[in-house]
Amino acid sequence: MHDHRHAVRQAALAAGWSHRHRDVSGGRLRPTVFGAVDGLVTNASLIAGLGGSRASPHTVILTGVAALVAGAFSMGTGEYVSVTNQNELVHAEVATERTMHARFPAAEQAELADTFIGYGADPETAARMAEAVSRDPDTALRVHTREELGVDPFELPSAVSAGVSSLVAFSAGALIPLLPYLAGLNVLAAALGLAAVALLAGGMVVGRLTGRSMLRSGLRQLALGAVAVAVTFTVGSLIGGGHTT
């Protein structure tokens, strides 16, 4: 039987079968994408608002850099705290599950057998499977937490990695619309054009990673960013139009 399973797997591998998956837990992709888009939209909108109020280039640069630094540390700190709190909650629930295993092993094993029955195993097979899994406390705990909490307690995302990824990504995104002003090209259209290209490209990259239409993903991100920029420009024009800082 073992040789047969091995032969089946080898034949499937030769035909292109693969079980390698990308990280879907949100450990790095979510904070990186969210941070970059947030930084880009935030500073592009801010610069548009200042442009609508006819602020001086110096004011645009000063405000944009301040927003970049403040926003980057805010995003990084928020992501770190969020992931840390989530992990602490998981650890607390895992501790509860571990206590239940120690106090009521038979009940936990019966619960696991019911889980296997729910997946289609007959009662006798489910009981044997539950008994086999329950022989190793770590394996039993891992299976129970996966089933009951939907997470693997041994593969939780890193709070430090998420925080750093978010901080760096926000900084990179927020820097893009500032580049023309930093280079001496004090033209609002240049900053917004560069931001638009970055939004479109970023959305297409996300589409590539998620397997969705690259063009559709890029246009969706561009449209959402354009709405934020338009609203902020309008507000800036209404409040500060005609005043030069």
Side-chain angles (χ1 to χ4, degrees), residues 3-63:
D3 291 341
H4 174 69
R5 291 197 301 268
H6 179 72
V8 169
R9 280 194 290 266
Q10 290 300 112
L13 286 171
W17 176 67
S18 174
H19 240 288
R20 292 181 296 177
H21 298 288
R22 290 167 290 186
D23 175 26
V24 296
S25 66
R28 287 189 179 180
L29 178 62
R30 185 183 66 83
T32 299
V33 172
F34 182 61
V37 172
D38 194 21
L40 182 56
V41 174
T42 295
N43 249 13
S45 300
L46 181 62
I47 290 171
L50 292 170
S53 67
R54 298 192 179 98
S56 68
H58 175 74
T59 300
V60 172
I61 293 174
L62 177 62
T63 306

Side-chain angles (χ1 to χ4, degrees), residues 118-189:
Y119 284 139
D122 61 80
E124 183 179 349
T125 301
R128 289 201 305 269
M129 292 170 63
E131 181 182 2
V133 170
S134 299
R135 290 193 190 110
D136 181 13
D138 287 338
T139 301
L141 183 64
R142 192 168 193 169
V143 172
H144 275 273
T145 52
R146 278 179 174 175
E147 293 298 324
E148 296 175 26
L149 303 178
V151 296
D152 189 331
F154 299 100
E155 295 182 6
L156 297 177
S158 166
V160 172
S161 176
V164 171
S165 298
S166 185
L167 185 150
V168 172
F170 185 98
S171 300
L175 180 63
I176 291 174
L178 270 176
L179 288 176
Y181 285 91
L182 293 174
L185 182 60
N186 303 318
V187 180
L188 178 61

